[in-house]
Amino acid sequence: MIEEPEAHIHTHIQKTLFENFNFKNTQVFVSTHSTQISSVSNISSMSILSCTDAQTKVYAPSNNLEAGNIICIERYLDAIRSDILFAKSVILVEGDAELILIPALVKKTLGISLEEMGISLVKMDGTVFKHISDLFHEDRIRSYCSILTDLDKAFITHENASFADAEYIKAQLNAQKSGADRKIALDDYTDNNIYVSAFYAEYTFETELISYSENVKLFESVIKTTYKRKADCEAALANINSNDMTQKYHHALKFAKKIGKGWLAAEMVDHITINNIIPEYILKAIKFSLSDRNIEAIALKMMEYNVANMPQEKQDEINECKNFDDKIAVYKALYDDTFIRFWEI
């Protein structure tokens, strides 16, 4: 029996050690929190211990899975993704932009991190969520898993003189069809599993962000540091501030593609404020992943953080209330921010 080898040895040695636990006629038990070890072990030989409601439950992550599916999951569980085995709940996202920006938005607007809520955010580098989310089931790991993905709905369906030619419209409609097919497949897949649910951006993550006026400055801040020529900068700023949503979405996506979605998200992080708005589909995913948690206790921490950042007279008005519901009612009359949206969805 080996207890928590990660407490004593380097990550490379952890993996090497575990890969050489092949002793003849000897059964080896290893207790660990190491993502390095879990990334090179077989889920068919794992038992996950979860402490809930003052009792410890044991989950078998490969229970009732087909052999081929087990192999696919084990290939996917690298040292980053294997973090899901230790999380209280999980949100799966498509790529770097969501992975970088969502935690920062949550911490800045709600005052509590995903880690504090016991949520692991894991990127899949694409839209193939099925294998990993198969781990979360009544028969396997009884933790809640949210899937965040884009519907890629066409935000323009007719040609125009500025940017949408026939090829552009065709690409939009093809992406829309793929998104619709993906939604049908995901909804069907999660329909009878209470532990997994999918949540969708109507278009893409970037267009959902910029659809809120409070978030436009995130794009503006990066544009101002990217374009060296004043004319180019002014044109880009005018485009993302357009009242024409098709123009706004097109140029936001064009800019994201120009510098890379992940890099854009990384640049935005330093400019996030408490006034930014987290898109509704993301808030729904967070709330679903907290299905087995005390939501009111978490919301109280969020509210205390937001109230502490209000002008003093508004703080006093809310703090005069004696109970949580009264505080929420007064808060809602004063603000329509990310916290209120989270509480009411």
Side-chain angles (χ1 to χ4, degrees):
M1 300 185 71
I2 303 173
E3 182 180 4
E4 298 189 352
E6 66 271 17
H8 309 286
I9 57 178
H10 188 275
T11 54
H12 293 170
I13 303 175
Q14 290 176 37
K15 296 174 75 171
T16 303
L17 178 70
F18 191 84
E19 287 171 340
N20 285 279
F21 284 158
N22 297 311
F23 305 122
K24 188 176 181 180
N25 299 324
T26 303
Q27 188 171 17
V28 180
F29 291 87
V30 181
S31 67
T32 182
H33 289 92
S34 170
T35 56
Q36 303 295 329
I37 290 176
S38 59
S39 71
V40 293
S41 59
N42 297 323
I43 62 170
S44 53
S45 61
M46 287 182 191
S47 291
I48 296 176
L49 307 182
S50 176
C51 183
T52 56
D53 301 325
Q55 60 180 318
T56 300
K57 297 179 181 179
V58 183
Y59 303 140
S62 64
N63 189 37
N64 291 332
L65 283 178
E66 296 180 0
N69 205 6
I70 292 173
I71 292 171
C72 286
I73 292 171
E74 290 172 346
R75 288 172 179 167
Y76 246 77
L77 288 179
D78 57 20
I80 297 174
R81 296 190 185 104
S82 62
D83 184 53
I84 67 176
L85 300 172
F86 306 104
K88 290 183 179 179
S89 52
V90 173
I91 299 177
L92 304 179
V93 298
E94 290 187 11
D96 287 328
E98 295 92 338
L99 184 70
I100 294 168
L101 207 54
I102 290 175
L105 282 166
V106 170
K107 181 65 176 178
K108 197 69 175 182
T109 62
L110 297 175
I112 181 170
S113 68
L114 292 176
E115 290 80 5
E116 289 175 88
M117 292 185 275
I119 300 173
S120 282
L121 194 70
V122 180
K123 77 180 177 88
M124 303 305 296
D125 292 318
T127 59
V128 182
F129 299 98
K130 182 179 183 299
H131 295 304
I132 291 297
S133 58
D134 271 342
L135 288 169
F136 304 95
H137 190 273
E138 181 71 27
D139 295 339
R140 293 177 283 280
I141 303 174
R142 295 174 193 170
S143 298
Y144 288 88
C145 173
S146 297
I147 296 171
L148 284 180
T149 188
D150 301 336
L151 283 180
D152 294 318
K153 183 179 175 182
F155 57 81
I156 184 169
T157 57
H158 296 89
E159 296 177 42
N160 63 26
S162 56
F163 65 87
D165 57 17
E167 186 176 347
Y168 190 96
I169 299 301
K170 182 180 178 181
Q172 285 273 307
L173 295 175
N174 286 341
Q176 177 174 273
K177 183 180 184 306
S178 295
D181 291 343
R182 182 164 61 252
K183 184 178 189 305
I184 291 170
L186 271 175
D187 287 348
D188 181 63
Y189 163 67
T190 61
D191 187 44
N192 295 314
N193 186 351
I194 64 170
Y195 292 101
V196 182
S197 187
F199 302 88
Y200 305 93
E202 186 174 7
Y203 304 108
T204 70
F205 176 54
E206 290 77 16
T207 60
E208 292 293 323
L209 273 180
I210 204 170
S211 66
Y212 298 94
S213 60
E214 295 89 343
N215 295 339
V216 173
K217 287 185 178 179
L218 291 176
F219 288 83
E220 290 179 342
S221 62
V222 185
I223 286 172
K224 289 175 182 177
T225 59
T226 300
Y227 288 100
K228 304 304 179 185
R229 293 180 65 242
K230 183 179 180 181
D232 292 338
C233 181
E234 289 177 348
L237 291 173
N239 286 327
I240 65 161
N241 280 284
S242 173
N243 292 324
D244 182 341
M245 297 306 288
T246 62
Q247 290 280 348
K248 183 189 289 282
Y249 290 166
H250 167 71
H251 287 284
L253 291 172
K254 182 180 178 181
F255 181 64
K257 185 177 180 180
K258 172 184 171 64
I259 67 171
K261 290 188 174 185
W263 187 255
L264 174 61
E267 289 282 299
M268 285 180 173
V269 166
D270 290 335
H271 303 279
I272 296 172
T273 72
I274 196 172
N275 297 317
N276 287 124
I277 299 295
I278 298 177
E280 185 176 297
Y281 78 108
I282 297 174
L283 295 178
K284 287 181 177 179
I286 294 171
K287 207 159 188 179
F288 174 80
S289 69
L290 297 171
S291 295
D292 58 350
R293 241 66 61 79
N294 184 342
I295 290 287
E296 187 167 310
I298 293 170
L300 182 59
K301 287 188 69 174
M302 294 176 178
M303 182 167 66
E304 288 173 347
Y305 164 80
N306 278 271
V307 170
N309 284 276
M310 293 178 183
Q312 189 60 51
E313 64 273 13
K314 293 183 179 179
Q315 290 188 41
D316 295 340
E317 189 175 348
I318 293 173
N319 290 330
E320 284 174 3
C321 300
K322 301 301 182 183
N323 60 58
F324 182 79
D325 290 337
D326 289 343
K327 287 183 177 182
I328 285 286
V330 174
Y331 190 118
K332 184 180 177 181
L334 296 171
Y335 291 96
D336 179 26
D337 58 8
T338 290
F339 166 68
I340 284 297
R341 293 165 191 242
F342 171 82
W343 178 250
E344 293 197 326
I345 56 173

